[in-house]
């Protein structure tokens, strides 16, 4: 039997970040000190999420333990029934159990296998191996403003071009493959280190699926080699007990 206690608030952040990317089920890896998940969006490419939640107290976890959840929203429903600052659940015989002052007893069944098969190359070590080429802070209101400004532009202007302009960074809502569009460009911050080599292109809809913190770190890196190399974006935040990191694959044009 495994018993785990985590922060209620930060467990909610952990769960919400996963559900915003994929609601089809998730595999959680339990370690003695933390829980982690690596999640891909439905298209297997536009968003890759790595999220990590510290365990406050546990018993029964000696080595890495994988659990496959068919419906992560069941944890959300249990959290709604929990007024405490911490949340404790038990795993036994392929079931998750929960009880507190309100709930005499609740349980739900785990799946026998992952809901999706992820390429073995896409793992936590790979996710954390990228060398960053630039870094800056970006706030939640700014990201929301970028999303909201898409309503000002033409319906076909559904891309965000992020690029360096002097010491500032610009987000341009546009689609440069099309003509005669209404567009908008915003200053979103200043680089703290490094430089952006080109224009990182992200779909506006991708940004709307991210769980945002008040302040986040935006970093760029490269993926691929030679002519197939492209610039990518990492958007992340870390609180006392939870870390949420997105890799946003970029569009070609």
């Amino acid at each position: 039997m495994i018993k785990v206690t985590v922060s209620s608030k930060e467990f909610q952040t952990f769960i919400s970040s996963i559900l915003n990317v994929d609601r089809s089920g998730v595999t959680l890896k339990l370690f003695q000190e933390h829980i982690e998940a690596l999640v891909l969006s439905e298209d297997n490419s536009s968003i890759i999420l790595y999220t990590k939640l510290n365990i406050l107290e546990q018993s029964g976890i000696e080595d890495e333990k994988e659990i496959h959840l068919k419906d992560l929203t069941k944890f959300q429903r249990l959290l709604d029934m929990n007024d405490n600052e911490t949340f404790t659940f038990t795993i036994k015989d392929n079931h998750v159990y929960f009880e507190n002052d309100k709930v005499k007893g609740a349980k739900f069944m785990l799946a026998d296998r992952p809901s999706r098969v992820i390429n073995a190359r896409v793992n936590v070590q790979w996710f954390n191996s990228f060398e960053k080429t630039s870094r800056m802070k970006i706030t939640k209101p700014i990201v929301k403003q970028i999303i909201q400004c898409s309503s000002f532009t033409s319906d076909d202007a559904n891309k965000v071009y992020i690029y360096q302009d002097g010491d500032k960074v610009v987000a341009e809502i546009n689609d440069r493959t099309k003509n005669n569009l209404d567009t908008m460009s915003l200053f979103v911050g200043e680089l703290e280190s490094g430089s952006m080599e080109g224009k990182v292109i992200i779909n506006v809809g991708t940004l709307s699926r991210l769980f945002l913190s008040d302040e986040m770190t935006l970093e760029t890196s490269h993926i691929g080699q030679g002519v197939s190399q492209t610039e990518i974006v990492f958007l992340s935040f870390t609180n006392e007990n939870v870390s949420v990191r997105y890799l946003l694959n970029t569009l070609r044009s």
Side-chain angles (χ1 to χ4, degrees), residues 45-57:
S45 61
S46 60
I47 305 173
I48 304 176
L49 163 70
Y50 171 62
T51 181
K52 176 180 174 182
L53 175 73
N54 289 343
I55 292 175
L56 303 180
E57 187 177 340

Side-chain angles (χ1 to χ4, degrees), residues 13-25:
T13 296
F14 179 83
I15 291 170
S16 297
S17 67
I18 294 171
L19 290 173
N20 281 12
V21 174
D22 184 12
R23 304 183 72 89
S24 65

